[in-house]
Amino acid sequence: MNKMMEKSNAERFHARQVRFFLLAVCTMSLFSCTGTRPTTLGLVHSHLARCPDSPNCVSSEATDPKHAILPFELVVPSEEAWRLARLAVSSLARTQIITETDNYLHAECRSALFGFVDDLELHLMTDSVISVRSASRLGYSDMGVNRRRIEHLRLKLAEQGIIR
């Protein structure tokens, strides 16, 4: 009888832990980890913002290996490439295009679990190159998420014959 009561108490304790964890996850997702939209986004003198020192950003305009990533080299006319790049960005999961002009695009990409927001930017620099930047708003490390996002987008566009 005593062992049954101990087991029952242990089960109740475990159930309380599970409920607490679920409540914590729900609460965090309600408040979301969006951070404030950076004021440095956009083009300044025809360039995207520099990456911060933290390793949670990649940019084709960066010169250091920690942040550098290759731009998209176009193999179709720039107007067609820009239209298809916009479609590819809008098809990314949990991604919303915020700003779009004839040569600049800013999208917010949210993580699935806690709603962390990353800023994705594309800049049609010339008739043959789209510069790219993806950066986390919060935290120090992104566990390579921004680099993988750009490479995933690169793969989608390459499969469509838009970029090399």
Side-chain angles (χ1 to χ4, degrees):
M1 181 76 163
N2 206 12
K3 287 189 180 214
M4 287 177 56
M5 286 182 67
E6 285 179 19
K7 185 176 181 183
S8 179
N9 285 339
E11 288 172 348
R12 277 186 286 214
F13 178 73
H14 178 70
R16 276 191 301 247
Q17 285 181 315
V18 169
R19 281 193 302 271
F20 177 77
F21 175 76
L22 292 174
L23 179 64
V25 168
C26 289
T27 301
M28 287 183 78
S29 61
L30 282 175
F31 291 104
S32 196
C33 302
T34 60
T36 304
R37 186 175 293 153
T39 58
T40 57
L41 296 176
L43 299 174
V44 177
H45 303 294
S46 296
H47 291 283
L48 298 172
R50 293 180 50 143
C51 283
D53 289 336
S54 56
N56 60 2
C57 175
V58 293
S59 174
S60 59
E61 297 181 16
T63 56
D64 62 298
K66 178 172 63 173
H67 297 109
I69 195 163
L70 293 174
F72 297 162
E73 295 181 41
L74 308 178
V75 295
V76 299
S78 60
E79 278 186 24
E80 180 184 356
W82 189 246
R83 180 180 61 78
L84 295 170
R86 184 212 178 280
L87 287 173
V89 168
S90 67
S91 73
L92 295 174
R94 298 172 308 281
T95 298
Q96 178 183 5
I97 294 177
I98 303 301
T99 306
E100 180 186 3
T101 68
D102 59 346
N103 71 339
Y104 173 78
L105 182 142
H106 166 235
E108 293 179 345
C109 309
R110 293 182 184 276
S111 66
L113 187 56
F114 295 117
F116 287 106
V117 175
D118 297 338
D119 293 292
L120 172 63
E121 296 178 282
L122 277 65
H123 173 213
L124 180 62
M125 293 181 63
T126 66
D127 285 342
S128 61
V129 174
I130 294 177
S131 184
V132 294
R133 179 180 186 273
S134 188
S136 300
R137 286 187 186 172
L138 299 175
Y140 181 76
S141 175
D142 67 351
M143 309 292 277
V145 168
N146 286 295
R147 185 171 298 278
R148 285 192 302 275
R149 177 179 297 115
I150 296 292
E151 293 305 341
H152 174 72
L153 190 55
R154 181 188 314 280
L155 183 63
K156 285 179 88 162
L157 295 172
E159 286 173 348
Q160 295 177 36
I162 299 164
I163 65 173
R164 295 184 216 284

